[in-house]
Amino acid sequence: MHTGHRNGVCPDPLTSSLLDAGCWRAEKRRGSGPKGLISFHILGRRIVILNTKTAADDLFNKRSSNYSDRPFPTMAGTLMKREKSMFYIPYNERCKTYRKLMQQALNSSASQQYWGIEEDSARYTVRQIVDTPDNLFQHLRRNAAFVTMKVAYGYTISDYNDHFVEIAEEAMRIGSLVAAPGKWLVDSIPALRFLPAWFPGAGFKRLAKTWSEHMYLQSLEPHQWVKDQMENGVAQPSFTSRLLQDTNGGVTKDKELDNIVLWTGGALYAAGADTTVSVIRTFLFCMMMHPSVQDKAQKDVDLFIQQEGRLPTLKDWDRGALPYLNCILQEVLRWHPPAPMALFHSAARDDVYEDYHIPAKTTIIGNVWGMMHDNDTYPKPDIFDPDRFTGVNGRKIEDDPRQVVFGFGRRICPGLYVAEASLWIQMAFMLACVRIEKAVDENGRVVEPEVGFTTAIVSYVKPFSYKIVARNNGLELLGQ
Ligand code: HEM
């Protein structure tokens, strides 16, 4: 039985983050046994990485009663007072209530109420891309911020320096800083948390106090804003307003419900904004690098426009229009999953799996990237090829990446329907209205972009140069 270190230790645990791109690739190589498991210690934490869908299914689904908690690190959890945060809460009764509310508000039929918002925002974004193509990446961020703020709070962001967006972005920055593996000594030596805040070297405690207040405000301010709107009878329907509404149409007096809605609403921006931007950025990068795929997708969209005399909508998506676009979306998600190691799970009790002893509180990581680049499931996995999913020329259709990319078991992403709709409509409008090509330098030479990825819980294709060419057919139908 394996109980401790194996050869599969991250190259340099003190300096390389578990989330480094090199690391998730490395873990995939090392875990090439039948179930692709790796177990090791890093900075006082025992970690198990699951590299195959079989292992993920065995633990996250079949033994979900034991593998649905989250790790609770000292800095990001205890000192930051994040016990109630969706991203740190164990799978207890409160968490079940969070998930029930999210499921009610974001399931496949409920999420249709956000289609109008997603369409309007995508339309505006494409218009912005055409007007100021140099700011492409900002436009993508604005789109995600607009949609998540509308969904969560019915709040319309302003284009520049929006207060709620700024505090939410700052909270995300803090969230990833405090959760960075290896950054905080107190995560390896939890007893340090008892140092008085004034003690030399205990600056982390003072930071945690300030940051924790900031993160709480990020949820509290927009939540309070919705309640004020409701009291004045002018609230736009949203995740928060619907859940806070009592049977008489007023604001609930139930303090517990109010607090639960505050914490669930506060999770939507952090969970939804970065992930969807990452996917669209990868999509644009892949379209630029694979002009023949872009051509084919644009032919489909053009044909749709010609037949219908309008741009596609999410209703068309729902009835299966533009199937090749769906295959592109699947391949974008597979080729570079935005959360390459999902969110970490934690074992509630001791367990044994495949000869491995897994003690309680072990961090369990589903290596989404590794599963999406498994040569047996996806031959030549590094090649971007939407035809994996078209069944063209009798080709065997490969596994749907969405079964993995949105995470696992009882903690699977509750926002996946909202996410998919937003991604599809942005992609459809972009294909209709613009073409993305490689940039050309001042000497007329094509700039060959490097393929690189940022490393954090949500990973992006690194910034790249590009050229945007407007397509008038689509633009004429886009409206103002
Ligand atoms: C392409 C876009 C997205 C991807 C790839 C994605 C992926 C994920 C993944 C991998 C997890 C962790 C699952 C696990 O622990 O096994 C997760 C959790 C979560 N996602 Fe998403 N997500 C996306 C968009 C969204 C959106 C738009 C929302 C909200 C509207 C959202 C809300 C959440 C929440 C609240 C959680 C935490 C669930 C929990 O801890 O129980 N996500 N997501």
Side-chain angles (χ1 to χ4, degrees):
M1 180 170 298
H2 305 291
T3 51
H5 289 259
R6 273 185 91 210
N7 288 336
V9 183
C10 265
D12 174 2
L14 284 169
T15 52
S16 86
S17 147
L18 257 179
L19 298 160
D20 278 359
C23 194
W24 71 62
R25 284 168 194 262
E27 295 315 335
K28 166 80 185 99
R29 276 200 304 276
R30 290 197 189 90
S32 51
K35 301 253 169 139
L37 223 71
I38 300 168
S39 166
F40 57 88
H41 265 111
I42 183 172
L43 300 164
R45 265 163 93 175
R46 187 189 294 274
I47 315 254
V48 166
I49 299 191
L50 311 178
N51 282 308
T52 63
K53 271 173 77 177
T54 314
D57 185 44
D58 286 348
L59 298 194
F60 293 141
N61 290 326
K62 296 189 181 130
R63 298 188 195 177
S64 60
S65 64
N66 197 39
Y67 291 102
S68 301
D69 286 354
R70 298 259 184 239
F72 195 67
T74 312
M75 182 66 181
T78 316
L79 292 176
M80 293 286 297
K81 301 193 176 76
R82 304 301 287 170
E83 295 80 358
K84 292 181 179 173
S85 155
M86 184 90 211
F87 306 115
Y88 288 104
I89 196 168
Y91 195 70
N92 54 20
E93 287 310 311
R94 189 178 171 97
C95 178
K96 286 183 201 165
T97 308
Y98 286 1
R99 293 211 45 112
K100 202 171 107 199
L101 295 183
M102 289 204 168
Q103 164 65 12
Q104 274 168 16
L106 306 174
N107 67 39
S108 83
S109 74
S111 57
Q112 295 185 13
Q113 67 202 319
Y114 306 118
W115 283 0
I117 295 168
E118 294 177 315
E119 287 170 355
D120 288 349
S121 186
R123 200 171 285 120
Y124 184 73
T125 303
V126 171
R127 172 76 49 210
Q128 281 189 314
I129 292 173
V130 174
D131 290 348
T132 46
D134 289 350
N135 300 340
L136 172 66
F137 299 133
Q138 282 101 297
H139 300 325
L140 304 184
R141 276 219 81 76
R142 191 220 63 98
N143 183 79
F146 183 92
V147 171
T148 39
M149 283 292 176
K150 273 281 195 194
V151 170
Y153 303 111
Y155 171 76
T156 307
I157 64 167
S158 45
D159 268 0
Y160 299 101
N161 308 329
D162 185 273
H163 175 63
F164 288 164
V165 172
E166 279 177 359
I167 55 175
E169 292 283 330
E170 175 64 1
M172 278 169 61
R173 190 190 67 81
I174 295 170
S176 77
L177 202 62
V178 289
K183 187 163 176 64
W184 308 98
L185 192 58
V186 68
D187 285 334
S188 312
I189 313 173
L192 290 176
R193 72 183 186 281
F194 298 117
L195 285 176
W198 51 263
F199 201 75
F204 66 90
K205 280 195 78 168
R206 296 188 291 276
L207 283 176
K209 184 167 181 300
T210 316
W211 285 345
S212 136
E213 283 161 11
H214 183 95
M215 286 190 84
Y216 183 63
L217 279 184
Q218 176 257 322
S219 304
L220 185 65
E221 284 194 22
H223 178 84
Q224 189 55 50
W225 178 86
V226 177
K227 284 177 22 181
D228 294 344
Q229 298 285 106
M230 287 173 77
E231 258 146 27
N232 294 328
V234 291
Q236 298 277 316
S238 67
F239 176 87
T240 301
S241 71
R242 283 195 183 90
L243 294 174
L244 286 181
Q245 197 163 49
D246 66 14
T247 40
N248 305 320
V251 184
T252 181
K253 302 275 179 303
D254 180 339
K255 287 218 161 68
E256 178 65 1
L257 175 64
D258 181 79
N259 190 261
I260 284 173
V261 176
L262 175 129
W263 282 94
T264 41
L268 298 183
Y269 189 94
D274 255 5
T275 38
T276 42
V277 178
S278 161
V279 179
I280 291 296
R281 190 142 133 181
T282 307
F283 161 73
L284 287 170
F285 182 77
C286 291
M287 291 303 97
M288 180 180 83
M289 298 300 278
H290 302 277
S292 60
V293 174
Q294 189 174 187
D295 281 346
K296 191 167 168 202
Q298 281 176 330
K299 267 197 195 125
D300 278 4
V301 177
D302 291 349
L303 186 64
F304 180 98
I305 292 176
Q306 199 190 333
Q307 284 169 348
E308 304 285 332
R310 60 174 175 84
L311 291 178
T313 63
L314 284 167
K315 272 206 184 115
D316 300 310
W317 170 59
D318 197 39
R319 59 170 182 80
L322 302 177
Y324 187 60
L325 186 54
N326 273 330
C327 300
I328 293 180
L329 176 53
Q330 288 182 72
E331 181 61 347
V332 167
L333 290 169
R334 184 203 69 81
W335 187 75
H336 186 63
M341 290 199 158
L343 290 180
F344 300 172
H345 291 223
S346 171
R349 296 173 299 281
D350 287 9
D351 192 19
V352 173
Y353 177 67
E354 289 290 306
D355 236 14
Y356 283 80
H357 172 57
I358 303 179
K361 297 209 180 309
T362 298
T363 295
I364 316 286
I365 302 176
N367 185 355
V368 171
W369 189 92
M371 294 174 210
M372 294 297 91
H373 287 254
D374 173 31
N375 205 28
D376 294 334
T377 321
Y378 302 107
K380 301 194 183 145
D382 290 342
I383 293 179
F384 177 83
D385 177 11
D387 277 333
R388 294 175 191 281
F389 308 108
T390 55
V392 67
N393 300 331
R395 188 171 155 181
K396 180 179 164 284
I397 295 182
E398 296 172 20
D399 290 1
D400 187 342
R402 290 171 292 194
Q403 295 160 352
V404 168
V405 168
F406 289 101
F408 309 99
R410 296 182 186 176
R411 300 308 288 259
I412 192 172
C413 175
L416 66 105
Y417 299 105
V418 173
E420 254 197 89
S422 173
L423 294 170
W424 191 90
I425 198 69
Q426 287 180 75
M427 288 166 40
F429 285 177
M430 284 175 192
L431 287 167
C433 301
V434 295
R435 190 169 173 79
I436 183 158
E437 294 173 2
K438 289 180 188 168
V440 175
D441 69 17
E442 56 281 8
N443 301 319
R445 277 191 301 257
V446 170
V447 182
E448 277 306 326
E450 269 181 49
V451 185
F453 306 97
T454 63
T455 60
I457 292 171
V458 176
S459 165
Y460 284 86
V461 173
K462 284 196 173 152
F464 52 90
S465 337
Y466 55 85
K467 187 171 103 188
I468 296 285
V469 182
R471 303 184 77 230
N472 289 332
N473 270 3
L475 273 174
E476 276 161 21
L477 296 168
L478 194 65
Q480 286 306 314

